[in-house]
Amino acid sequence: MPDSPSYDLLISHTPAHSPAVRPLLEALRPLGVSYRTAPARECPELPPGFGLAKACLVWASEDYFQSRAAQTQLAAAYLAQDRDAAPAARRLLLVNAAAGTRHIYPVPLRDWRYAIAPEPQDASGHAALAAALRAHCAGLAEPLAQTRPPTAPPWYAAHQARPEPTLIFLRRERELWDIHALLDPAPTPATAEPGPVVAVAGIEGQGKSTLAREYAHRFGPAFPGGIFWLTAREAKPIASVADLAENPPLKMQLLAFLHALSPQDPTPPTADTPTLLDRLGSHLAEAGQPFLWIVDDLPEGLNGPAFQQWLAPAAPLGRTLLTTRSQRYDEQVECIHLPPLDEETAWHLLTWNLPPTSGPERAATARLLDELGRQPLAITAANAAARGNRRQRNAPYTALRRRLGDPAHGAVIVASNLHSGLPKAQETALAGALLAAMSAMGEAGHDLLRLAANLADAPLPVDFVVDCLAGSGLCEEPQRQHPLRARCLELLGIPQPSAAELAHRHAGSGIAALDRLGLGEVAGGSLHLHSLTIHAMRIANHDLRRLAALHRAAVGVLHDLAGTCAAAGDWRRLAALAPHARALTADPREHSAQETQADLAHRARLAAFLGDMDMAHGLPQRALEMYRHAGAGLARAVAADAEAWDWLADLARVRECTGDILSARGDAAGALDTYLKSLRIRKRLTAQDPGREDWQLGQWSLYLKAGEALAQGGDLDKARNSYRAGLTQRSALPPAALADGEREYALAAAFERLAGLYRKKKQAEAALDALKPALEIYQKLAGPPPSNPKFAPAPARVHGQLAEILRERGETQPALEHYRQAIAAYTQLSGQDSANLDWKRQLAQCHRWAGEISAAQSQPEEAIKHYRARTNLLKRLISPGPPDAALQREIAVNYAKLGLLCDQTGDSPTALGYYRKALAGAAQWAELVPDDHSLHSELAWVEQRLAQEKTQSAA
């Protein structure tokens, strides 16, 4: 066959039918048809050069549709085929090599039959088929790769690399084709309706996740927009709009997707979940490619909005594939229920590498399958247990059945706590099979399961596993047990392996054992263990010392990682392990006898870091739960060691953070209680070490926050006292501690808000008392040059408030002084930023009242200056858009007052000019508001004054 970039025909068949295909090859060769054969072996990868063929010929035997490799080739050819093409242009050609068509699946492929396979001795039939194939291929221009390349689409999963195809697939071929028939992305209607949703349902251990993973690998090229893998095991029913806005398990994964799709996306991490979904949907819609959205392990009980939020965005491009143990989503989506394995597949899975060798053994194998209920996980474990029993090589399945029925084996106890959803007898058999398999995996495998038993039911990154094993010290114990060997190695100059090297070896040995026994596998850089396997270890583990050592090591590794993330302000590495960290910090009241107070404090501090991470991502509800766990743990640790100052400082910070969340939720009483507890700790810390500026700053911050909570609760006097205590604390701080000014600004702003509350209660004296320290701090911060632009307008704003309060109290001269200072400050600000209209409005208002007071003090010349300045400012506020009626009214009234003031100074000509402008302004206002005659009545005296002047002039 000539070696060319492309060729005519790829012939896909099973190895068993190679002799049947050979006559066709011999008939093709003299006709010049270039071809390659692809015997479908066990490897699920496509053969080299698959996409270079113009067409794919499938030798459709019965065993072809039961072969994983053959089905992979069939799916790739099916995806590359234009299903609307005429028969003459088809690229997927089926030669039926069996009687009937029932073996051909999916059903639409039965209409794609190209020919019936000739008998092996039918030379003329093979010649005719070869000639027809030559003519068919001659009409095809480009190879398969140019129609739809069989390349894997981008893979997106939060903190998890693309996993390789699983080594063992359970012949769920029909289910795969059924899924694709429902998710088929070929039609893309122009509609806003969401894309199709398919759920794969089944009890634990039925292979739902494996099926979804296989579908992503086999049919992935149909989704060039990418494959998005989400884990929903932490999803919960949602009872409120606030819960819907947070939805932490989904939100953290959406953030990871957005970062992967667009690292420069401006969407802040604190944005709510609906916003992130919309943003991600916009990215995917812009790409315009179908994508696959896989939601794995969706729990039962999600209500409508909570369920809908987990579905793919960017309708109708997204196709959603769910896996769930629940059968209650049938009415909402298309559902495929996974049944137990058929007898042939179950037999193959149990005996594929250890076939029974006698009649009694085959009978025992069949009974064992019935007892296990043909459940995939149980069969895999039973196969591992049978292979691991070296003493019963001649009758492993008989021995296994005997062991499963032994009450001393412990299967009944484990089964009573598994809650797998299987019938009781099958659950006991499953527990027995798991225990039997575990007994054959060695200490390294047991240590990996012990580590997983401490953590969440989630993938374990291999590097994290190695770090935990190294930190536990368990890998070094065999070295310490052989001191003579260690001494000999030392004398020979052979260095001892490091703790990290020992941990790598131990982890590798354990992973190999788990993989060999079918209890776990490494995919995407992480160790995947079934939840039932982990749960069985939690129940059956008896080595509490090793369990506690691994627990302590996991806490230490995660605590150090969290500290690094907090210092860098980048939480992504901790987010990848957050489910495990939350499992370790779930309840500080639950701890083993081996856990010291230092261990407890370490665990509590890890919970605090998790709270910080949640706050950084806008998840206050979950952060509150973490802070409460942290507070409870630190309180217990401090109770045992009252002089652990670092623990005390952590406890104070955690309680302050708790108070911040409660305050934001409007729980003033709860916030105040936690603030005061934190404040007491900070006072104690400051008394212990007065030189610690961070402890003093924390105390100052708490005075401020406690005052805010008191003000929120309505106790204004206590709030003022708390703020004044903050002022006292501020005066004790060195100038360097106040360099940035943000804390001082916050204190001044608190006094300013307090003054506003006093004003609402008509307590003018208390309001003045609150504004004075605010003005003092603001003036200091706004001094030349201001370090922060937001500091600059603060003194002008407070001067205006002081002037208003004094004016309302009748103290006009002090009020006028404050108005003058506000005018000077706003004039300077407006010169720096002429586009700031708010400053111009405030300046115009100050000129108004300064003019009113000057006029009342019989200083008309001074009042005229203020009103003229106000008039100019009001004119500048007129925008080019629609006329502002209220502004027109103010200008008209201002002109009238200017005329009155000019009359008082004896400048009648100027006064008359202002009166005319006032009436002109009133006329413009009347056009804007024709039904309101209030301004006409208000300026009636102006008309009378002009009429009087006209009469006098005529006389």
Side-chain angles (χ1 to χ4, degrees), residues 267-576:
T267 308
T270 53
D272 61 23
T273 301
T275 300
L276 294 176
L277 275 170
D278 290 342
R279 188 61 185 156
L280 180 63
S282 298
H283 279 294
L284 295 169
E286 289 173 8
Q289 298 280 6
F291 63 92
L292 180 61
W293 188 266
I294 302 177
V295 182
D296 187 36
D297 205 5
L298 191 73
E300 186 175 4
L302 267 65
N303 53 11
F307 176 77
Q308 292 294 326
Q309 202 171 43
W310 281 94
L311 304 184
L317 295 171
R319 266 61 177 166
T320 304
L321 176 61
L322 310 172
T323 71
T324 179
R325 282 169 278 173
S326 174
Q327 298 185 10
R328 300 188 179 182
Y329 296 116
D330 295 26
E331 296 182 359
Q332 303 181 56
V333 299
E334 295 284 349
C335 201
I336 296 173
H337 294 276
L338 289 188
L341 297 177
D342 61 77
E343 292 184 10
E344 181 183 355
T345 303
W347 182 278
H348 174 76
L349 182 61
L350 180 60
T351 65
W352 67 278
N353 51 6
L354 186 63
T357 56
S358 65
E361 184 69 355
R362 284 192 291 273
T365 304
R367 287 194 293 270
L368 183 60
L369 285 175
D370 291 338
E371 292 166 1
L372 295 173
R374 301 200 302 275
Q375 201 257 6
L377 177 63
I379 295 173
T380 303
N383 172 267
R387 286 185 288 118
N389 190 350
R390 299 180 181 273
R391 298 179 181 177
Q392 299 289 338
R393 278 298 183 184
N394 294 327
Y397 300 109
T398 301
L400 180 59
R401 283 195 68 236
R402 189 182 306 116
R403 185 177 184 182
L404 296 186
D406 185 357
H409 185 48
V412 175
I413 298 174
V414 173
S416 63
N417 293 279
L418 270 186
H419 308 297
S420 66
L422 290 168
K424 195 63 180 176
Q426 293 180 14
E427 195 168 52
T428 303
L430 167 64
L434 289 173
L435 291 177
M438 289 177 188
S439 66
M441 65 186 175
E443 197 66 77
H446 276 95
D447 280 341
L448 295 190
L449 288 186
R450 290 185 188 107
L451 175 62
N454 281 304
L455 304 172
D457 295 341
L460 289 168
V462 174
D463 56 351
F464 171 66
V465 171
V466 173
D467 290 342
C468 291
L469 290 174
S472 70
L474 298 177
C475 308
E476 302 173 25
E477 289 183 356
Q479 301 293 323
R480 291 196 294 268
Q481 292 170 3
H482 301 85
L484 180 60
R485 179 175 180 273
R487 178 60 179 162
C488 292
L489 292 174
E490 182 181 353
L491 291 174
L492 293 172
I494 300 175
Q496 290 276 10
S498 65
E501 291 172 333
L502 291 172
H504 271 286
R505 295 178 190 174
H506 201 62
S509 177
I511 289 172
L514 291 170
D515 182 70
R516 183 180 70 254
L517 299 171
L519 297 177
E521 66 170 334
V522 173
S526 295
L527 175 61
H528 295 255
L529 299 165
H530 198 280
S531 59
L532 288 176
T533 307
I534 299 172
H535 197 45
M537 172 55 75
R538 291 190 182 119
I539 302 165
N541 174 69
H542 300 296
D543 195 333
L544 298 181
R545 183 185 66 85
R546 298 181 78 89
L547 187 72
L550 289 164
H551 181 281
R552 186 183 302 111
V555 171
V557 170
L558 288 169
H559 176 272
D560 294 345
L561 173 63
T564 302
C565 291
D570 185 350
W571 296 101
R572 280 176 291 175
R573 291 176 61 201
L574 180 61

Side-chain angles (χ1 to χ4, degrees), residues 155 169 176 179 200 207-218 227 229 292 294-296 321-323:
W155 172 274
F169 185 63
L176 282 175
I179 291 172
V200 176
K208 301 179 295 297
S209 300
T210 302
L211 182 68
R213 197 166 117 195
E214 183 73 11
Y215 178 78
H217 281 286
R218 191 175 299 184
I227 296 173
W229 184 283
L292 180 61
I294 302 177
V295 182
D296 187 36
L321 176 61
L322 310 172
T323 71

Side-chain angles (χ1 to χ4, degrees), residues 561-733:
L561 173 63
T564 302
C565 291
D570 185 350
W571 296 101
R572 280 176 291 175
R573 291 176 61 201
L574 180 61
L577 294 163
H580 301 302
R582 278 192 289 274
L584 290 169
T585 59
D587 191 346
R589 294 170 296 182
E590 295 181 2
H591 65 101
S592 65
Q594 290 85 0
E595 187 176 36
T596 65
Q597 296 303 320
D599 295 335
L600 181 61
H602 238 51
R603 193 152 59 96
R605 292 176 70 178
L606 174 58
F609 281 128
L610 289 171
D612 296 340
M613 182 182 71
D614 286 335
M615 287 301 295
H617 292 96
L619 301 170
Q621 183 58 39
R622 192 166 70 177
L624 179 62
E625 181 182 356
M626 288 295 101
Y627 285 139
R628 282 174 170 163
H629 289 331
L634 287 167
R636 287 192 58 186
V638 167
D641 186 356
E643 295 186 358
W645 306 115
D646 288 341
W647 297 353
L648 271 172
D650 289 332
L651 180 58
R653 187 187 77 83
V654 164
R655 285 185 169 160
E656 182 178 357
C657 292
T658 303
D660 292 344
I661 298 174
L662 294 174
S663 178
R665 292 170 56 178
D667 184 358
L672 178 62
D673 180 63
T674 53
Y675 285 147
L676 294 179
K677 288 178 180 177
S678 182
L679 182 58
R680 284 193 289 271
I681 297 174
R682 289 271 166 79
K683 286 181 177 179
R684 181 179 171 188
L685 290 170
T686 305
Q688 173 65 25
D689 187 357
R692 286 284 297 268
E693 290 182 7
D694 56 336
W695 290 352
Q696 295 184 54
L697 286 169
Q699 188 175 337
W700 179 20
S701 175
L702 283 164
Y703 277 125
L704 173 61
K705 291 179 179 180
E708 290 287 325
L710 287 164
Q712 190 178 358
D715 196 338
L716 303 187
D717 292 336
K718 285 186 177 180
R720 179 173 57 184
N721 293 339
S722 184
Y723 293 150
R724 290 201 172 277
L727 277 177
T728 304
Q729 183 68 29
R730 166 178 168 266
S731 62
L733 289 168

